Amino acid sequence: MQDRNHLSDVQATNSVSLIENGLVEIPMLQLLDENGHETNKEQSPEINETTAKRISTTMQYIRLLDERMVGAQRQGRISFYLACTGEEASTVGSAAALSENDMIMSQYREQGALAYRGYTTDQFMNQMFSNQLDPNKGRQMPIHYGDKKLNFMTISSPLGTQISQAAGYAYGQKMAGEPAVTICYFGEGAASEGDFHAGVNMAAVLNCPVIFFCRNNGYAISTPSEEQFKGDGIASRGIGYGVKTIRVDGNDVLAVYAATKKAREIALAENCPVLIEAMTYRLAAHSTSDDPSGYRSKSEEDKWRAKDPIERFNKWLDGKGWFDKKATDAFLEKSRAEILAALKKAEKVPVAPIEDIVEDVYDTPPWHLKEQLVELKAHIAKYPEHYPKTSGRLK
Amino acid sequence: MAQMNLLQAINSALVTAMTEDEKVMVFGEDVGHFGGVFRATSNLQQKFGKGRCFNTPLTEQGIIGFANGLASHGSVPVAEIQFSDYIFPAFDQIVNETAKWRYRSGGQFTCGTLTIRTPYGGGIAGGHYHSQSPEAFFAHIPGMKIVIPRNPKQAKGLLLASIRDDNPVLFMEPKKLYRAAVGDVPETDYELPLGKADLVKEGTDITLLAWGAQVEIIEKAAAMAEEIGVSCEVIDLQSILPWDVETICESVCKTGRLLINHEAPLTGGFASEIAATVQERCFLYLESPIARVCGLDTPYPLAHEKEYMPDHLKTFEAIKRTMDY
């Protein structure tokens, strides 16, 4: 079917009939069943042993990190946390299918993608503890990671803003002739924001090599997806915008990996966006400020626990003869110790010095910021005991 | 030197910037082949191709979001918002994203190469959706620069400086003057400094301060005041953020009086910020209260445009009141 851009190309009908939702349903790609068996070996992606193990260990590492940091928040050691439990296959599987030169613009539940790129436990901790080693210099809440070297754009809190930005970033990559794409992660809730419409539409019209990756995880804080949108999910919207679209089982690493690999190839070769809708489930709370028991049942959660993406993938690894229980246990033990040690280390590192407060607003601080800093420092010097984080280090 | 109107000067600046740096890209609604509703981007697509000068869909939040991403990549976007009245759908992207990109990432990433061009202000019988002057909203955002030229020569030099500045700049163009203001403009590549006011005319009795299209209004009022023996110093602020406090305070300490004129409504307008700062710094030099001659606190009207405007007559009367205080 060709794009119909003009009214004159539209075929006429003399029947007063409306096109109903549900007439065409978009299927979900699944290559791994719940027992870890491949459903279509011919379509299964090629993943070598090293990559497969890296995917598996990254997923397990992230789950450990999430558990520990939710605990740290409960103990009052950090102010906030967002876990990705249940969604590890979506973010780690997709990140594994990318090139390291591809830009990642994420929402806030994609620590798996960042860990896959090589973000270290210390780096995670320094950001979460807002200490002076935090690349954001203590200016953003925990989980707002960003790393220029790893091509991971610093996260912003407002929802969906990265969607139109990803279109622009990808346009820049294309114009500069870089053999790279941008992947933009967001949840199905963020797809209700105007930025989703603006961004996907612009990417389609302006031919931007960007992968829009929607984690349809069932809930936007407490709002279930049936109160979030009508119609056939987010995938149907991609088609509406003239964007090549695929829906995948988001708990199936093989499906996510295969779809992302294909999406990347198409985006790069054809200079166009591709939309992936990953059907998954947020087993965790929305954030540490949230209690899902108030809005959903345990039985619903249990149903999804049975579809655990990590176990499913490990069964597949096992079938390949690549799963080593002893090595995995040892890895988990080592990671646990590493996370705990890094946590203790990071919380002892002081915050950035007060002089830093006026940096990075502009390329250099203008007169009014310089004046305000002078006044602030004089005030802190007068009441040092009231500003213990910074008073001992005034320059 | 060549005679140009303000639009031609803008166009000349864009041609210069795009010629000199292939990363400069110009886009917005109708800016491509058509050259924009005011024709500021005429012939750019023909000269530089559809990849670097193009139409976007009708989405202000999309234009600025796209521009933010493009700027963070290291490209140099010059995004047009067709009328500044329509910048508000992009407010979130500007306030929460453009302005904070560098700060929130600890300087790892920035949108510093972005310039947003937008026509502002009244005087074209545009009613309240084609006449607003929203500079004060943006002056409240740390991380942005705001620049407003008053004539073709200033427009080209300030726009080139804005495009090349390593901070996001909101460049507001007085649309009333697009074709009305004509003057000599160097055909060469030149920049005028951001953050600096321009002393238009020296005087000794009162400082008159305005920006954009209102500069010619205070000049006219100054000429009337001269006739009754009041010597006016006329200053064009040029940059709203950061603004040139030094030049303004120096002038006020000399004249002892200050009148600020802007087209936007009085309450919460940028004149309030200037007045507060000047009274802090120049209190003992002031011989009368700082006068503000501004738009009314109403939406911009259509039929009563002339009545709404802080015109030369209202300014002249305020000069006399200030002198007689």
Side-chain angles (χ1 to χ4, degrees):
Chain A
M1 191 178 75
Q2 288 203 319
D3 284 346
R4 294 198 188 95
N5 291 325
H6 303 287
L7 201 60
S8 58
D9 298 336
V10 178
Q11 209 185 338
T13 174
N14 56 12
S15 160
V16 185
S17 57
L18 304 182
I19 297 167
E20 280 185 56
N21 172 47
L23 216 59
V24 182
E25 272 186 30
I26 301 161
M28 176 179 86
L29 175 70
Q30 190 182 69
L31 294 172
L32 206 55
D33 69 17
E34 291 183 16
N35 299 313
H37 298 307
E38 291 180 36
T39 57
N40 181 354
K41 283 196 194 296
E42 279 174 29
Q43 291 279 313
S44 281
E46 276 181 39
I47 303 183
N48 63 35
E49 186 177 347
T50 314
T51 304
K53 284 183 168 169
R54 185 169 157 199
I55 292 171
S56 170
T57 52
T58 305
M59 291 198 294
Q60 293 180 85
Y61 166 80
I62 281 297
R63 189 166 288 187
L64 270 185
L65 182 73
D66 280 357
E67 278 170 16
R68 190 66 204 90
M69 297 324 292
V70 168
Q73 194 278 336
R74 297 275 180 260
Q75 295 167 334
R77 294 161 91 166
I78 56 170
S79 59
F80 181 75
Y81 195 76
L82 282 161
C84 66
T85 305
E87 301 175 59
E88 294 92 343
S90 292
T91 49
V92 179
S94 52
L98 299 172
S99 150
E100 290 188 350
N101 296 324
D102 296 335
M103 173 53 80
I104 296 177
M105 296 178 87
S106 81
Q107 183 165 309
Y108 48 54
R109 211 182 291 284
E110 290 85 8
Q111 52 266 51
L114 187 53
Y116 191 85
R117 285 265 166 109
Y119 210 57
T120 65
T121 307
D122 281 334
Q123 285 177 300
F124 276 113
M125 291 299 164
N126 290 331
Q127 198 286 319
M128 283 187 277
F129 280 93
S130 310
N131 65 27
Q132 67 178 6
L133 300 173
D134 166 17
N136 301 344
K137 304 181 186 174
R139 292 163 183 164
Q140 293 216 75
M141 286 164 74
I143 64 91
H144 287 64
Y145 313 113
D147 192 313
K148 189 156 189 165
K149 288 196 202 92
L150 295 180
N151 286 316
F152 192 97
M153 182 62 74
T154 302
I155 293 166
S156 155
S157 300
L159 211 55
T161 50
Q162 77 280 17
I163 302 173
S164 54
Q165 293 162 3
Y169 197 94
Y171 190 87
Q173 290 173 313
K174 177 180 82 167
M175 291 299 285
E178 295 168 18
V181 305
T182 298
I183 189 164
C184 175
Y185 291 100
F186 54 93
E188 86 285 353
S192 296
E193 292 283 1
D195 283 290
F196 172 81
H197 162 67
V200 178
N201 188 44
M202 286 188 84
V205 172
L206 297 170
N207 307 312
C208 306
V210 55
I211 301 169
F212 294 114
F213 193 103
C214 177
R215 293 175 291 94
N216 189 338
N217 66 4
Y219 287 89
I221 311 187
S222 71
T223 302
S225 48
E226 62 266 24
E227 292 174 30
Q228 189 67 241
F229 55 78
K230 296 290 273 185
D232 191 8
I234 307 305
S236 65
R237 302 183 193 180
I239 296 161
Y241 286 109
V243 171
K244 289 181 182 171
T245 297
I246 184 167
R247 170 176 283 156
V248 300
D249 180 342
N251 286 18
D252 169 359
V253 170
L254 292 191
V256 171
Y257 185 90
T260 311
K261 203 95 184 158
K262 184 84 175 168
R264 185 179 189 279
E265 268 171 39
I266 293 170
L268 204 53
E270 300 176 22
N271 277 321
C272 67
V274 178
L275 190 144
I276 299 172
E277 183 183 25
M279 310 307 286
T280 182
Y281 189 78
R282 197 194 73 206
L283 272 176
H286 161 69
S287 75
T288 46
S289 313
D290 171 48
D291 175 11
S293 70
Y295 54 80
R296 69 188 188 193
S297 68
K298 186 161 177 308
S299 64
E300 179 186 303
E301 290 178 18
D302 287 343
K303 201 180 89 193
W304 279 91
R305 258 178 245 286
K307 299 174 196 272
D308 190 300
I310 297 179
E311 279 178 36
R312 201 197 295 189
F313 189 58
N314 282 349
K315 283 179 192 162
W316 176 79
L317 280 176
D318 200 25
K320 291 275 215 185
W322 292 346
F323 188 74
D324 181 341
K325 175 94 174 57
K326 241 169 114 179
T328 302
D329 288 346
F331 169 78
L332 291 175
E333 201 44 53
K334 184 177 138 272
S335 296
R336 247 183 229 113
E338 183 184 293
I339 289 167
L340 196 62
L343 191 157
K344 285 181 178 165
K345 192 167 70 176
E347 67 187 343
K348 289 196 186 81
V349 178
V351 298
I354 192 62
E355 287 78 8
D356 181 66
I357 201 168
V358 299
E359 294 295 328
D360 304 317
V361 182
Y362 294 89
D363 56 345
T364 51
W367 64 268
H368 57 297
L369 291 186
K370 282 189 202 155
E371 283 187 5
Q372 288 168 23
L373 177 63
V374 169
E375 281 178 27
L376 176 61
K377 282 165 72 174
H379 176 79
I380 293 173
K382 196 169 180 187
Y383 294 98
E385 69 280 14
H386 290 277
Y387 305 93
K389 281 186 182 176
T390 53
S391 54
R393 293 187 291 154
L394 288 179
K395 278 179 214 147
Chain B
M1 288 282 188
Q3 282 276 303
M4 291 186 200
N5 65 28
L6 204 144
L7 280 168
Q8 290 163 330
I10 298 282
N11 189 261
S12 172
L14 292 172
V15 170
T16 305
M18 292 178 88
T19 305
E20 189 242 12
D21 182 356
E22 64 171 25
K23 286 184 173 172
V24 178
M25 294 176 216
V26 174
F27 52 89
E29 294 158 8
D30 304 307
V31 308
H33 177 72
F34 189 55
V37 289
F38 292 105
R39 306 292 185 275
T41 57
S42 292
N43 301 315
L44 297 180
Q45 191 171 76
Q46 288 88 321
K47 280 194 178 96
F48 301 103
K50 281 186 173 172
R52 293 181 61 200
C53 176
F54 50 92
N55 292 337
T56 64
L58 282 161
T59 165
E60 287 78 14
Q61 79 178 122
I63 291 168
I64 302 303
F66 183 91
N68 283 336
L70 194 53
S72 73
H73 173 264
S75 303
V76 186
V78 184
E80 179 177 302
I81 297 295
Q82 201 162 69
F83 285 90
S84 63
D85 311 72
Y86 303 140
I87 205 166
F88 298 104
F91 204 57
D92 176 46
Q93 282 285 347
I94 297 172
V95 174
N96 280 323
E97 304 291 316
T98 312
K100 298 181 174 71
W101 208 287
R102 190 198 308 265
Y103 196 73
R104 75 175 179 221
S105 70
Q108 290 191 88
F109 298 98
T110 165
C111 279
T113 54
L114 172 59
T115 303
I116 304 168
R117 287 183 42 245
T118 188
Y120 85 95
I124 60 151
H128 47 237
Y129 294 125
H130 295 82
S131 302
Q132 293 175 67
S133 300
E135 67 270 19
F137 288 104
F138 298 96
H140 198 57
I141 313 171
M144 290 295 294
K145 288 191 178 181
I146 304 164
V147 178
I148 306 182
R150 73 172 187 277
N151 65 28
K153 186 183 168 196
Q154 309 293 324
K156 181 174 173 181
L158 289 170
L159 181 54
L160 277 168
S162 298
I163 292 170
R164 292 159 181 171
D165 190 85
D166 196 18
N167 297 283
V169 179
L170 177 62
F171 190 83
M172 300 174 67
E173 299 162 7
K175 59 177 159 309
K176 182 175 92 171
L177 303 183
Y178 266 158
R179 290 192 171 81
V182 180
D184 281 334
V185 177
E187 283 163 294
T188 51
D189 186 344
Y190 67 97
E191 293 177 27
L192 295 172
L194 304 187
K196 287 296 290 177
D198 189 32
L199 183 59
V200 179
K201 188 187 94 63
E202 287 194 56
T204 53
D205 298 332
I206 182 168
T207 302
L208 307 184
L209 177 64
W211 46 89
Q214 290 305 101
V215 176
E216 69 170 13
I217 300 294
I218 58 170
E219 281 185 281
K220 221 167 159 180
M224 290 174 76
E226 302 280 343
E227 279 178 25
I228 57 164
V230 180
S231 164
C232 301
E233 183 140 303
V234 176
I235 300 177
D236 172 8
L237 192 61
Q238 293 194 122
S239 289
I240 305 296
L241 197 73
W243 62 284
D244 186 354
V245 70
E246 215 172 299
T247 298
I248 308 309
C249 288
E250 212 171 281
S251 173
V252 174
C253 289
K254 183 178 79 178
T255 63
R257 297 177 186 87
L258 175 63
L259 180 152
I260 311 158
N261 174 304
H262 65 58
E263 219 174 297
L266 176 82
T267 301
F270 199 66
S272 311
E273 178 59 36
I274 297 169
T277 306
V278 170
Q279 69 86 18
E280 261 174 16
R281 295 181 185 226
C282 310
F283 188 69
L284 296 176
Y285 293 83
L286 286 172
E287 292 180 33
S288 63
I290 297 164
R292 290 178 293 159
V293 184
C294 304
L296 304 183
D297 286 337
T298 66
Y300 197 103
L302 183 69
H304 291 135
E305 188 168 22
K306 196 162 164 33
E307 286 74 9
Y308 168 94
M309 281 297 284
D311 64 3
H312 62 289
L313 293 173
K314 291 179 186 172
T315 310
F316 177 56
E317 288 304 312
I319 293 170
K320 286 193 288 182
R321 278 198 303 275
T322 306
M323 293 307 299
D324 295 343
Y325 181 79

